[in-house]
Amino acid sequence: KAGVTQTPRYLIKTRGQQVTLSCSPISGHRSVSWYQQTPGQGLQFLFEYFSETQRNKGNFPGRFSGRQFSNSRSEMNVSTLELGDSALYLCASSLGPRVGSTDTQYFGPGTRLTVL
Amino acid sequence: AQTVTQSQPEMSVQEAETVTLSCTYDTSENNYYLFWYKQPPSRQMILVIRQEAYKQQNATENRFSVNFQKAAKSFSLKISDSQLGDTAMYFCAFMKLEYGNKLVFGAGTILRVKS
């Protein structure tokens, strides 16, 4: 079974631009979560989607948004990029079948975003 | 809010020896999950082991085992017969049972296995 895939793997943008990152979960997984990893702040939760609905959101500004499609693929968008948005963005998928349940998250290889 | 603390920024161990990585967490929840993930230089985050809080028995996965002390809110990882491929950053993570999966990570411990 194929793992979680993320595209693109590397991205270079300039301040003020916007960017869209894509994540395809493991087949059969319906929950997709996004995390930001930086040397200073470590790993921080951005948001989680299940069945095209955002179920949970971390403490990030509104410039960070996401969505999930009917095939469970997810995208996250960052508008008006800032230097501090440079990070490794990790996507993770899990089965996430029902409210109140929890499930092991499996991670993709990440997208390395550099903002100049 | 939950917090996860890994007090050892870096550790090293000789090949074939045993090493223990520490993790403590703070929560008022009674039901939750704990995880150890490893992130080698490739940056791919890999699940090592998982523990359900309602289970008293410590989880094991081959050379990896945990010492879960619920009352003390401690969740250490023991790696036996360390191998060069175990060199990685290890993250302890907490997840409570709530609407929407969310992992709270510790700062990580860099483990170097020496030959």
Side-chain angles (χ1 to χ4, degrees):
Chain A
K1 187 182 274 190
V4 178
T5 58
Q6 292 186 245
T7 56
R9 294 292 311 279
Y10 302 92
L11 209 47
I12 300 175
K13 292 286 187 179
T14 56
R15 279 182 300 173
Q17 288 187 310
Q18 75 165 18
V19 66
T20 299
L21 312 182
S22 180
C23 172
S24 293
I26 293 170
S27 178
H29 284 194
R30 296 168 63 191
S31 168
V32 174
S33 299
W34 289 88
Y35 296 86
Q36 182 196 64
Q37 185 175 23
T38 60
Q41 299 299 316
L43 281 152
Q44 293 185 287
F45 172 79
L46 280 155
F47 28 63
E48 187 255 3
Y49 288 88
F50 173 69
S51 290
E52 303 178 66
T53 300
Q54 186 183 88
R55 296 197 300 176
N56 207 338
K57 188 177 188 302
N59 295 324
F60 279 83
R63 299 185 298 106
F64 291 81
S65 63
R67 59 177 176 169
Q68 186 180 34
F69 302 95
S70 58
N71 63 357
S72 295
R73 190 178 69 86
S74 177
E75 289 181 348
M76 68 162 282
N77 184 277
V78 187
S79 62
T80 319
L81 284 166
E82 300 177 358
L83 295 179
D85 296 333
S86 293
L88 180 68
Y89 289 89
L90 293 167
C91 163
S93 77
S94 62
L95 286 169
R98 58 190 179 273
V99 174
S101 76
T102 187
D103 227 299
T104 301
Q105 295 184 24
Y106 297 91
F107 285 80
T111 294
R112 169 73 65 185
L113 172 65
T114 301
V115 182
L116 302 177
Chain B
Q2 288 75 31
T3 58
V4 178
T5 302
Q6 294 179 248
S7 58
Q8 307 149 314
E10 294 188 32
M11 295 190 72
S12 62
V13 63
Q14 286 295 129
E15 204 175 2
E17 293 188 346
T18 296
V19 64
T20 298
L21 308 183
S22 301
C23 172
T24 58
Y25 56 95
D26 184 28
T27 184
S28 58
E29 301 288 326
N30 189 47
N31 293 318
Y32 49 87
Y33 283 75
L34 294 163
F35 304 85
W36 279 98
Y37 283 89
K38 66 180 277 189
Q39 189 178 43
S42 67
R43 309 299 274 173
Q44 172 76 55
M45 193 77 79
I46 302 165
L47 175 70
V48 175
I49 201 164
R50 138 182 166 157
Q51 174 79 45
E52 292 88 345
Y54 63 85
K55 290 185 177 179
Q56 292 186 336
Q57 186 173 7
N58 290 324
T60 62
E61 285 289 340
N62 301 315
R63 299 183 294 106
F64 299 87
S65 62
V66 297
N67 183 2
F68 174 48
Q69 301 290 327
K70 191 173 184 180
K73 298 180 183 176
S74 170
F75 182 61
S76 60
L77 175 70
K78 186 172 81 171
I79 306 174
S80 304
D81 186 25
S82 297
Q83 302 175 359
L84 295 177
D86 295 333
T87 293
M89 174 80 93
Y90 285 80
F91 292 97
C92 177
F94 172 98
M95 178 191 287
K96 71 177 184 178
L97 301 184
E98 66 175 344
Y99 189 58
N101 294 340
K102 171 185 174 181
L103 285 167
V104 177
F105 287 91
T109 296
I110 299 172
L111 176 67
R112 295 187 176 86
V113 181
K114 301 178 180 179
S115 59

